[in-house]
Amino acid sequence: MINKLYDTSLSLLTDLYQLTMAYGYWKAGKAEQEAVFNLYFRKHPFQGGFTVTCGLNSVIDYLNDYRFSEEDLDYISTLTGNDGQKLFEPGFLEYLRTMELQCSIDAIPEGTVVFPNEPLLRVQGPILQCQLLETPLLNLINFQSLVATKAARMRLIARDDALLEFGLRRAQGPDGGVTASRAAYIGGFDATSNVLAGKLYGIPVKGTHAHSWVMSFDSELEAFETYARFMPNNVTLLVDTYDSLNGVRHAIKAGQQLRERGYELGGIRLDSGDLAYLSIEARKLLDEAGLEETKIVASNDLDEYIMDSLKIQGSKIDIWGIGTKLVTAFDQPALGGVFKLAAIKNDLGEWDYKLKLSEQAIKVSTPGIQQVRRFKDSKGFVSDMIFNIETPLIGRATMVDPYDFTKNRSFGESSHFEDLLVPVFVKGRLIYTLPSIHETRKRVQEQLSHFYKGIKRFVNPHTYPVGLEKGLFDMKTDLIMKLRAGNED
C-alpha cells in the first residue's frame, strides 16, 4: 500500500470539504469566478523571532502533476451524504476529469526569512481550483517551514560545527522523514542519515554503526577493531554501549591500529550521560594519544537549548547529531499556516475585497492582492510592508502596524527594497526556475546575516517591523467596520 501511495495521483490529498465546496461552486455557476487567496501564518514557531519558508519545491512538483485520474474519480463517485445518496453528480466528475489547472501562483522563494501575516504564496485563478489547492499547499508548506526554521535555530547555536540529521526512525512516517531531511538540510544541516533523501535531493549522507554492532561481539574492542578493519575510511565509533570513557580508550586502540594501516579515526560518538563532562574528558584522552584530529560527535535527544547549554559549559563537541527534536519539531509540531480568500471578481470585472472577521484581532484576515516589500539600508533589512498590488505605490509609502495604528513608518522613493513574491505559475504554466537545494541552503544563512541579531534570540526575541501599507490598512479598517455594522441585529 505504501508503494501505491507514491505511485498514484495525489489530487485527493485534500479534505472532503474542499471537494464539497468545489461542487457547490460548480452547481452555483461560480466555478470560473476569479479569486485570490493568500497563504500565511500568524505566529512564529518555537516562540522565536523568525521563520524560514520551505516547501515550494514540493508545491511545484505537486502542481505539475495535478490531475484527477480515473481511479480518483471512481472513488469520488462512491462518496455519499447523510441520506446515503451520492454526494456528486456525474456532470461534476466529468468537469474534474477534463479540468486543467489555470491558477497563477506567486511565492516567496524557499530559504527566505519571513514573518507573520506575510503571504508565502498568493494563488489567483478560478475559485473552484484555488479552493481545491488549499489543503495540499498548506500541508506542503507548513511542515517543511517548521523543520527548516528549527534547523536554522540549531545552526545559529552550532556556528561552524557540523550538524547531522538522523531522525528518520522517529519521523512521522516515510514522507515525514524524507521531507524533514530536505528541510533540515535547507535550514543549515550538513548531512543526513536518510539514504533515500540523499538519493532524491542530493543531500550528503553520513552514518556509522549502532549499539547492536558492539553488542554482537564478545568485547567492545573487538567490535571497534572489526568495524575499522572493514570500513577504514568511515570510522566513527559509538563509545557508550557499556562505559563511555572506557569506550573512548578502546576507540583509541582501534584508531592507533587504523593509523598503522594509513587511515585515521574519524570520530567517536557520545550518545548518553553528561555530554559536557564526557566530551571534555574524551578530548583529553584523544589528544594525549595523538588523535587531535579525531572528532567528538554528540547525540541523545538534543535540541537548540541543550546545545546552547553544552556550549556554555565548555563542551568539546565538534559534530552534533540531531534526530527526534528536529524532524518532529518536538516542542511545536505545527506551524499553523492558513489560506484565506482575499479578493474575488464581481460581474463587472472589478475586484471585491474580502476578509474574515474574528473576536481575536490576530485572526482577522487581510484583504487584497498582496505583495511584500522588504526595505533595507546599509546595515541590512529594516522593515517589511504588505501592500495591495492593485494600488500603485507612488511617492512616499507609509507602513502602519496592523495591531497599533499609532505606530507607522514612511519610506521614500529612493529607499532600497525588494518585492518578495515572485511569479511561479502563470495560468497553470510553470515559469519559475528552481535553484538547487544547495543554493537554497546558502540563501537561508545569507538572509539571516542581513537581520538584526535580536530577532535570532531564543528568549524574548526582537520583533521585526512588519506592517500594512496605509492604503491597505485603511481598506481593511473600512471593511471591518462595514462587516461589523452589517452583522448587527
Side-chain angles (χ1 to χ4, degrees), residues 398-441:
T398 299
M399 182 180 87
V400 182
D401 185 317
Y403 304 117
D404 184 352
F405 69 91
T406 66
K407 295 180 180 178
N408 57 72
R409 182 172 183 177
S410 294
F411 300 92
E413 289 183 288
S414 61
S415 299
H416 297 287
F417 65 84
E418 61 177 316
D419 289 343
L420 298 186
L421 288 122
V422 299
V424 177
F425 285 89
V426 175
K427 294 190 178 300
R429 180 173 62 89
L430 178 65
I431 64 168
Y432 181 70
T433 301
L434 269 171
S436 72
I437 191 172
H438 313 296
E439 291 170 322
T440 301
R441 178 176 182 269

Side-chain angles (χ1 to χ4, degrees), residues 168-355:
L168 179 58
R169 65 187 60 196
R170 302 284 178 80
Q172 318 295 22
D175 184 63
V178 170
T179 55
S181 295
R182 178 181 185 276
Y185 183 70
I186 285 174
F189 273 59
D190 296 290
T192 180
S193 67
N194 187 336
V195 181
L196 180 57
K199 172 191 171 185
L200 293 175
Y201 299 119
I203 304 170
V205 292
K206 298 288 183 182
T208 55
H209 67 80
H211 292 108
S212 55
W213 172 267
V214 177
M215 295 161 63
S216 72
F217 290 86
D218 291 335
S219 72
E220 185 176 60
L221 180 58
E222 181 189 4
F224 288 171
E225 289 174 338
T226 305
Y227 191 87
R229 183 163 67 252
F230 296 138
M231 191 72 66
N233 62 346
N234 186 50
V235 185
T236 295
L237 300 173
L238 180 59
V239 298
D240 78 319
T241 303
Y242 305 118
D243 178 275
S244 296
L245 293 182
N246 278 336
V248 175
R249 295 183 182 97
H250 292 151
I252 288 170
K253 290 180 181 179
Q256 290 169 334
Q257 294 173 18
L258 266 174
R259 181 169 284 177
E260 291 173 0
R261 297 168 54 204
Y263 296 95
E264 292 294 328
L265 175 61
I268 58 106
R269 177 157 74 96
L270 299 165
D271 190 46
S272 60
D274 185 336
L275 296 178
Y277 167 76
L278 291 173
S279 67
I280 291 169
E281 294 304 308
R283 183 76 273 157
K284 290 177 184 176
L285 292 171
L286 291 166
D287 290 352
E288 289 169 0
L291 299 176
E292 294 90 347
E293 298 304 314
T294 297
K295 305 297 185 184
I296 297 176
V297 185
S299 51
N300 189 24
D301 279 344
L302 300 176
D303 62 14
E304 64 267 45
Y305 303 103
I306 297 173
M307 291 169 64
D308 191 31
S309 175
L310 288 168
K311 287 273 191 181
I312 292 170
Q313 294 173 66
S315 69
K316 298 299 180 181
I317 298 165
D318 304 296
I319 301 172
W320 305 83
I322 316 291
T324 306
K325 298 288 182 71
L326 171 63
V327 301
T328 65
F330 190 81
D331 42 342
Q332 183 177 326
L335 178 62
V338 294
F339 187 83
K340 297 300 180 185
L341 178 66
I344 192 166
K345 275 194 175 173
N346 59 31
D347 293 339
L348 300 176
E350 300 169 339
W351 287 111
D352 288 335
Y353 296 112
K354 302 290 183 177
L355 64 75

Side-chain angles (χ1 to χ4, degrees), residues 26-27 43 57-58 62 67 89 113 193 195 265 276 307 325 397 469:
W26 180 75
K27 288 290 288 183
K43 292 181 180 179
N57 176 288
S58 301
Y62 177 81
R67 75 189 193 288
E89 62 187 77
V113 172
S193 67
V195 181
L265 175 61
M307 291 169 64
K325 298 288 182 71
E469 184 272 327

Side-chain angles (χ1 to χ4, degrees), residues 91-144:
F92 177 64
L93 301 181
E94 183 60 28
Y95 179 89
L96 295 180
R97 176 181 286 108
T98 60
M99 184 180 74
E100 294 184 2
L101 204 61
Q102 294 295 312
C103 291
S104 296
I105 295 178
D106 289 60
I108 297 178
E110 281 190 296
T112 303
V113 172
V114 292
F115 300 92
N117 301 310
E118 297 179 344
L120 310 185
L121 275 77
R122 186 180 71 235
V123 182
Q124 179 172 341
I127 192 169
L128 181 149
Q129 295 187 13
C130 294
Q131 193 73 68
L132 288 174
L133 297 182
E134 175 180 2
T135 298
L137 294 187
L138 286 169
N139 177 273
L140 294 169
I141 294 293
N142 274 337
F143 178 65
Q144 292 191 59

